């Protein structure tokens, strides 16, 4: 079985579930999942989790994302994107300078309604289920953070931009907000995920590219197959580079397997623990083996408390 993260460039028209099913068939293993759904109209980077990589989703889902997208002015839809029913159309008579000013000042944390096409639940039911059943529902309002705007092009009725956002932020909501600020209305016309921290679309493969490479692996061992998929394949031990790490001595690894922390490891964590005490914020730490080739465990350092075990991993997960 293969363990790690596979960076896939999803094409528009397919669901995240479609990608997972295809890769299960191509790779020949059931333990395949994903971190961070992309809906059918969107394309771009999706993180596919393989084997024990599925245990790491919580540490990848919470990271910031970056998107390239097109917003169309003068059109408002019920889904906030081009796939929805048109609610209103308005004539657009705005200068490029005006549009640029509104785009630039709309960065930061905004309180915006969640799109009706999202999977956020109200009374146990997902918003898109209400939409599908034509049942009235008031979407919740959330704080969403948008930053690092890069305006690529502004035309009379469209703007093409790149933008980063925090977990729980919706580009559709931001586009709708821009339309309200300009007084024209707006909807999302196209969306590409470029980055899911710490991974980038430039290292990804399409499902078809993975299938093509896999079809030539008859005489290759697993190590050679994974090497063939680089840089799209991230081994399990390197799947969380954004989380700080410490290594343990060889004789201390067995203690970790039984949920015990050695004196050596406690000493190695002293500096991080002091910082946690100062900030009063808990932090996850990767525990690597003596030569940094395997991730042995995940610990949570807590202010003024002993480290807490989150997960302990079996040996041999490179």
């Amino acid at each position: 079985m293969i363990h790690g993260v596979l960076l896939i460039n999803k094409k528009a028209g397919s669901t995240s579930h479609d990608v997972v099913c295809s890769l299960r068939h191509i790779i020949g293993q059931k333990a395949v999942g994903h971190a961070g759904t992309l809906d059918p109209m969107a394309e771009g980077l999706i993180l596919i989790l393989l084997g024990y990589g599925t245990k790491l989703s919580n540490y990848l889902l919470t990271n910031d994302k970056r998107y390239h997208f097109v917003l169309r002015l003068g059109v408002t839809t019920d889904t906030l994107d081009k796939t929805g029913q048109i609610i209103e159309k308005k004539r657009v008579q705005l200068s490029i300078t005006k549009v640029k000013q509104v785009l630039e000042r709309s960065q930061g944390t905004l309180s915006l309604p969640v799109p009706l096409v999202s999977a956020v639940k109200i009374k146990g039911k997902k918003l898109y289920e209400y939409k599908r059943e034509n049942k009235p529902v008031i979407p919740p309002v959330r704080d969403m953070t948008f930053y690092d705007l890069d305006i690529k092009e502004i035309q009379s009725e469209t703007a093409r931009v790149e933008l980063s956002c925090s977990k729980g932020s919706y580009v559709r909501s931001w586009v709708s907000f821009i339309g309200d600020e300009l007084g024209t209305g707006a909807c999302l016309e196209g969306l590409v995920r470029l980055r899911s921290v710490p991974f980038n679309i430039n290292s990804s493969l399409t499902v078809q590219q993975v299938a093509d490479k896999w079809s030539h692996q008859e005489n290759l061992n697993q190590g050679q197959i994974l090497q063939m998929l680089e840089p799209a394949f991230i081994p399990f031990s390197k799947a969380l580079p954004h989380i700080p790490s410490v290594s343990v001595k060889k004789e201390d690894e067995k203690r970790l397997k039984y949920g015990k922390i050695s004196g050596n490891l406690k000493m190695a964590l002293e500096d991080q623990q002091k910082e946690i005490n100062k900030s009063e914020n808990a932090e996850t730490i990767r525990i690597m083996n003596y030569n940094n080739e395997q991730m042995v465990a995940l610990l949570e350092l807590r202010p003024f408390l002993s480290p807490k075990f989150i997960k302990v991993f079996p040996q041999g997960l490179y």
Side-chain angles (χ1 to χ4, degrees):
M1 183 180 290
I2 298 170
H3 308 279
V5 178
L6 186 59
L7 309 182
I8 292 294
N9 185 351
K10 185 185 87 68
K11 298 304 179 184
S14 62
T15 67
S16 300
H17 182 67
D18 291 337
V19 174
V20 168
C21 290
S22 296
L23 290 170
R24 279 178 182 155
H25 176 72
I26 294 166
I27 295 173
Q29 70 179 50
K30 291 184 178 180
V32 180
H34 64 80
T37 302
L38 269 178
D39 56 50
M41 77 157 279
E43 55 186 293
L45 182 63
I46 182 171
L47 307 185
I48 297 298
L49 310 178
L50 305 174
Y52 264 86
T54 57
K55 306 293 184 182
L56 307 179
S57 61
N58 288 345
Y59 307 97
L60 295 168
L61 283 169
T62 57
N63 295 338
D64 289 6
K65 310 290 191 296
R66 185 165 182 82
Y67 296 93
H68 178 281
F69 58 94
V70 175
L71 58 91
R72 176 161 294 280
L73 303 176
V75 179
T76 304
T77 72
D78 60 350
T79 61
L80 310 185
D81 62 49
K82 68 177 182 180
T83 68
Q85 294 182 347
I86 295 176
I87 297 173
E88 187 178 20
K89 278 190 173 183
K90 288 185 178 181
R91 188 176 180 184
V92 180
Q93 292 180 304
L94 297 169
S95 67
I96 290 176
T97 300
K98 174 65 174 177
V99 175
K100 184 178 180 182
Q101 287 175 344
V102 170
L103 289 172
E104 289 179 340
R105 76 173 185 230
S106 298
Q107 298 181 77
T109 300
L110 306 171
S111 293
L112 303 176
V114 173
L116 287 175
V117 293
S118 76
V120 172
K121 290 185 177 180
I122 300 292
K123 295 182 179 179
K125 184 181 288 191
K126 296 173 182 177
L127 282 176
Y128 69 75
E129 292 174 333
Y130 284 99
K131 174 73 174 62
R132 189 183 297 159
E133 297 169 8
N134 290 318
K135 292 183 177 179
V137 63
I138 299 175
V141 173
R142 286 186 173 178
D143 285 345
M144 307 181 192
T145 301
F146 304 92
Y147 63 96
D148 198 15
L149 174 71
D150 182 6
I151 300 173
K152 298 295 185 180
E153 181 182 36
I154 298 176
Q155 297 185 352
S156 59
E157 295 183 356
T158 62
R160 186 167 58 87
V161 303
E162 285 186 15
L163 185 66
S164 296
C165 60
S166 63
K167 176 186 180 294
S169 299
Y170 293 88
V171 170
R172 286 174 175 77
S173 298
W174 189 81
V175 168
S176 179
F177 175 79
I178 296 296
D180 291 341
E181 290 292 290
L182 289 169
T184 62
C187 71
L188 183 67
E189 191 162 86
L191 180 68
V192 181
R193 184 188 287 160
L194 301 176
R195 183 166 170 79
S196 182
V197 175
F199 304 116
N200 195 293
I201 194 173
N202 294 337
S203 299
S204 67
L205 294 171
T206 64
V207 170
Q208 187 58 55
Q209 286 173 324
V210 173
D212 292 343
K213 289 176 179 290
W214 212 266
S215 66
H216 297 93
Q217 54 90 16
E218 293 178 6
N219 300 315
L220 301 180
N221 60 38
Q222 181 168 298
Q224 291 171 319
I225 296 169
L226 299 182
Q227 188 175 14
M228 182 175 59
L229 294 176
E230 290 181 345
F233 177 72
I234 315 298
F236 181 81
S237 61
K238 299 178 181 178
L240 302 176
H242 55 293
I243 294 179
S245 68
V246 298
S247 59
V248 294
K249 294 183 178 180
K250 200 167 186 178
E251 59 268 25
D252 296 326
E253 288 184 42
K254 286 185 178 179
R255 287 177 172 268
L256 285 170
K257 300 297 181 185
Y258 294 102
K260 297 180 180 180
I261 298 176
S262 67
N264 290 329
L265 180 53
K266 286 181 179 179
M267 288 178 62
L269 293 171
E270 276 185 357
D271 289 341
Q272 286 97 329
Q273 186 65 58
K274 288 177 182 177
E275 292 302 316
I276 296 300
N277 293 344
K278 287 181 184 177
S279 67
E280 297 188 357
N281 293 316
E283 184 177 52
T284 302
I285 300 288
R286 286 182 297 145
I287 308 301
M288 306 296 292
N289 72 339
Y290 72 100
N291 59 7
N292 278 312
E293 289 185 354
Q294 294 185 52
M295 184 161 57
V296 180
L298 289 172
L299 297 182
E300 183 181 51
L301 296 187
R302 304 170 294 171
F304 305 104
L305 295 172
S306 299
K308 176 184 177 182
F309 278 90
I310 300 174
K311 295 183 187 296
V312 177
F313 303 109
Q315 291 182 337
L317 302 181
Y318 293 95

